[in-house]
Amino acid sequence: TAGAGAACTGLEQLVLVAVRDVTTGSPWTLQGTSECLTPAQQLPFDPARLQATVDDYFQRIPLPLPGLRAAPADNAVVNLPEIVSADAPKRTTFTINVAPFPTVTIDASVRWLWDFGDGESLTTSTSGRAYSAADPDSTHYLTHTYRKANPGWRLSVTSVWTATYTVAGMPGTRTVTGEVQRTSTRSLAAADYAGTLTGN
């Protein structure tokens, strides 16, 4: 039974601290008054150590390269849209079971950074989609238009992963520190097929 002391609120827990000499079998003696412990103080582990463990695990997950594709595949055509896409991740949820911590679930999200090599770049929340002959409308795809011919523009896409995590038995969502980047790069030529008028 709690004695006189602090009045706890919310998720705080009222506790009493008592000691005794086990060698003599003396009775328990209360040490001061009751105290209120926050949820973090009630945990059987160090929250900062858990955060560090999750952060480290996220950096070591073998996240995939984004699988860069372009259409036309061989070379772009100057002043015509080049369709680009990357592989969407097949998995974005990961589970950690490391003693002495409860089960941790990491929920990752991805954004894509496109560098077309000609000074233009783009950030997207989707990976685009591969070209399909059943849908030839270029406005339905992620595209870039090269304005100059080049034997090999350096085209790249970087998937940038960030994440939050939840802890079994604990309320709320926490943020994983840092991000993880994976980059795919290829050389893409751009050819100029401008028409030329000639006399008959």
Side-chain angles (χ1 to χ4, degrees), residues 71-72 79-84 128-145:
N79 294 324
L80 291 179
E82 178 76 6
I83 296 171
V84 295
R129 64 189 183 97
Y131 175 77
S132 169
D135 184 10
D137 188 343
S138 64
T139 62
H140 296 168
Y141 300 90
L142 176 61
T143 66
H144 175 70
T145 301

Side-chain angles (χ1 to χ4, degrees), residues 43 45 50 96-97 101-105 165-172 174:
L43 296 176
F45 55 85
L50 172 61
I96 306 176
N97 287 292
F101 310 117
T103 298
V104 173
T105 301
Y165 69 97
T166 55
V167 183
M170 294 179 61
R174 294 157 179 80

Side-chain angles (χ1 to χ4, degrees), residues 78-143:
V78 172
N79 294 324
L80 291 179
E82 178 76 6
I83 296 171
V84 295
S85 63
D87 294 332
K90 296 179 180 178
R91 182 182 178 193
T92 57
T93 301
F94 308 90
T95 302
I96 306 176
N97 287 292
V98 179
F101 310 117
T103 298
V104 173
T105 301
I106 296 177
D107 291 309
S109 59
V110 193
R111 69 183 187 276
W112 287 265
L113 307 180
W114 303 85
D115 187 334
F116 300 102
D118 60 351
E120 297 292 327
S121 60
L122 182 67
T123 301
T124 63
S125 59
T126 65
S127 60
R129 64 189 183 97
Y131 175 77
S132 169
D135 184 10
D137 188 343
S138 64
T139 62
H140 296 168
Y141 300 90
L142 176 61
T143 66

Side-chain angles (χ1 to χ4, degrees), residues 60-78:
R60 293 186 290 107
I61 295 174
L63 299 172
L65 291 172
L68 177 58
R69 292 185 299 272
D74 296 332
N75 63 264
V77 178
V78 172

